[in-house]
Amino acid sequence: MVAAWITALPRSPRVLRRTALGALLGAASGLARAAKPAVLLRFSHVVAPDTPKGQMALRFQALVHERAGGRIRVEVFPDSQLWGDDDEMEALRLGAVEMLAPSLSKFGNAGVPEFEVFDLPYLFADLAQVQRVTQGAVGRGLLQRLGRQQMLGLGFLDNGFKQMSATRPLRTPADFSGLRVRVQASRVLAAQMRALGARPVVLPFGETQRALASGVVDAAENPLSNFLTQGLAPWQPHLTLTQHGYLGYAVVSNPRFWASLAPTDRALLDSALADALAHGNRLAAALDQQALATLRRTPGVMLHQPAAAERAVLRRAVQPAWDGLRRSLGPGLLDDVQNALITG
C-alpha cells in the first residue's frame, strides 16, 4: 500500500517526493517489519521488467527464493513503483530500500565523480571493451569508492549503447542545433550536448515520456530497449543509430543492511547476484538486437545509420566533454581506463 501511495504522488517538483520520503519512511518500515521473513530485501529500480535491468532483478529474486528456501525474501519494485530517479539513493541511505541498480551517470552527482568516465562519448567500441573495465581492477576500484557515500558497490550491469531520438535525423552537429535534449544529471552528458549545439535538460528517467509528449524536450538519448519499452516512438519518430555512449548500472546496497546479515546469508546473496548479473549482461546484447528488429518493423519509426565519416565528425565535435573531464579528474583514471581497453 505504501508503494501505491508513493507512486501516486506527483513527480515534480522534486521537493514533494523528498518530503514524501521522510513522511512515509516510518510507515514503510513499520509495514515491512510486520510481515517480513528472517531477511527482507527490497530491490527498487526505475525501468520496465522486460529490460536487462528488469530481467536481472527478477532472476536475482528467483535465485534467492530457490537457494534460501523462502527464508530470505526479495521484493522487486520496477518502473519507479517505490522510489524514482531523484530520491532512490536517499531512500537507500535511510534504509527505506535495501538494493538499487542506478545508472552509472547518477553517481557523479552523488559524490563519486569518477563514475562520470562512463559518460564519455565514443569511449567504448563494444560491450567487450566495457567489460574489460567493469570486470577488472578499474571496476573494482570504482565500486570501492562508493563507500565514501554510504553505498556498498556489488557489481556492474550492462544495458547497451545509446542512440539519439528526435523529430528529425541527427547525423551531424548542425542537426542538434537548438534542440532541448533530455539527459541524466551528469556534467559530461551536459557538456556533450552543449558541444553539439543542443541544450541539455536534466530530467528523471520516469518523466522522459511525458516531457517529450508535452514538448518540454525535443530529443533524448537511450539504449534501444529503453526507447522501445518506454513507448517513445509516437513523439520521437526519427531514431539515429549514433552508438555514441554507453549506459550501464551499478548494483548497490545499504552497508548497514549488508553488515547486519549473517555470513552465510551474505555469501548466498553474493552468489545469487553474481549469477543474476551474468544473466543480465548476456541479455543486454540480445535484447538490444531484438529491440532493433522490432523497431525496424514499427510503423512510423524511421531509422538512420550515420556513415563512418559522419560519426568521425560527431566524435570530433564532442571532444570538449573529454577535455572537461580530464581537467576535473586529472589524467590518472582516464589513463587507467584506456590502458585497460588496450591490454584487456
Side-chain angles (χ1 to χ4, degrees):
M1 182 176 296
V2 170
W5 294 343
I6 296 165
T7 304
L9 290 170
R11 296 293 181 87
S12 59
R14 293 182 184 179
V15 68
L16 293 180
R17 289 182 62 81
R18 288 175 179 164
T19 300
L21 171 60
L24 294 177
L25 176 59
S29 300
L31 287 176
R33 283 194 300 269
K36 73 177 182 179
V39 177
L40 172 65
L41 189 158
R42 293 160 294 181
F43 191 152
S44 175
H45 66 82
V46 302
V47 298
D50 50 350
T51 58
K53 180 159 58 173
Q55 290 295 296
M56 181 278 293
L58 292 174
R59 175 60 66 93
F60 175 65
Q61 180 185 51
L63 289 173
V64 172
H65 176 77
E66 172 190 326
R67 296 174 186 180
R71 200 179 63 80
I72 302 174
R73 188 170 80 230
V74 174
E75 296 180 352
V76 177
F77 299 90
D79 269 331
S80 302
Q81 288 177 3
L82 195 56
W83 307 111
D85 256 338
D86 52 353
D87 50 23
E88 62 175 357
M89 288 191 183
E90 186 177 0
L92 183 79
R93 293 186 183 109
L94 291 173
V97 64
E98 286 72 45
M99 189 172 284
L100 304 172
S103 164
L104 300 176
S105 300
K106 294 186 63 178
F107 291 106
N109 266 7
V112 194
E114 294 89 346
F115 274 76
E116 291 183 338
V117 70
F118 290 105
D119 290 331
L120 285 173
Y122 301 106
L123 173 62
F124 302 110
D126 52 36
L127 289 178
Q129 282 199 344
V130 172
Q131 290 169 9
R132 289 179 192 171
V133 174
T134 57
Q135 307 304 316
V138 175
R140 290 192 294 272
L142 287 169
L143 290 178
Q144 289 172 0
R145 296 183 195 202
L146 292 172
R148 300 191 315 230
Q149 298 299 326
Q150 303 172 56
M151 289 179 281
L152 177 68
L154 297 172
F156 289 96
L157 175 69
D158 296 328
N159 192 9
F161 286 89
K162 294 182 287 187
Q163 322 295 346
M164 291 301 310
S165 65
T167 54
R168 64 192 189 214
L170 300 177
R171 305 176 73 112
T172 71
D175 296 329
F176 285 82
S177 181
L179 289 181
R180 295 162 298 181
V181 183
R182 181 266 167 179
V183 296
Q184 297 186 78
S186 159
R187 294 176 301 172
V188 174
L189 297 181
Q192 168 188 278
M193 293 307 168
R194 285 194 293 267
L196 291 168
R199 175 187 166 195
V201 179
V202 174
L203 287 173
F205 179 72
E207 294 184 14
T208 302
Q209 185 191 80
R210 183 167 55 186
L212 290 167
S214 63
V216 171
V217 293
D218 309 302
E221 55 172 9
N222 280 294
L224 295 177
S225 61
N226 284 3
F227 179 88
L228 186 63
T229 58
Q230 291 297 306
L232 303 184
W235 303 282
Q236 302 276 275
H238 290 274
L239 192 57
T240 307
L241 304 178
T242 48
Q243 193 98 348
H244 62 282
Y246 167 74
L247 178 64
Y249 309 104
V251 179
V252 294
S253 184
N254 181 303
R256 295 185 303 278
F257 164 75
W258 209 254
S260 74
L261 296 170
T264 53
D265 289 342
R266 278 199 300 272
L268 187 151
L269 292 173
D270 271 329
S271 173
L273 182 61
D275 290 346
L277 287 172
H279 172 72
N281 285 332
R282 286 192 298 269
L283 275 179
L287 290 179
D288 192 67
Q289 290 303 308
Q290 290 174 20
L292 179 60
T294 299
L295 289 165
R296 289 191 189 282
R297 301 190 301 267
T298 302
V301 173
M302 290 158 277
L303 298 175
H304 308 277
Q305 180 70 66
E310 291 174 314
R311 284 176 56 83
V313 171
L314 290 171
R315 182 190 297 264
R316 288 194 296 271
V318 296
Q319 184 61 40
W322 282 73
D323 298 339
L325 189 64
R326 189 176 291 275
R327 284 193 301 271
S328 65
L329 292 184
L333 179 59
L334 278 174
D335 290 345
D336 289 345
V337 169
Q338 291 179 310
N339 288 336
L341 297 181
I342 294 168
T343 61

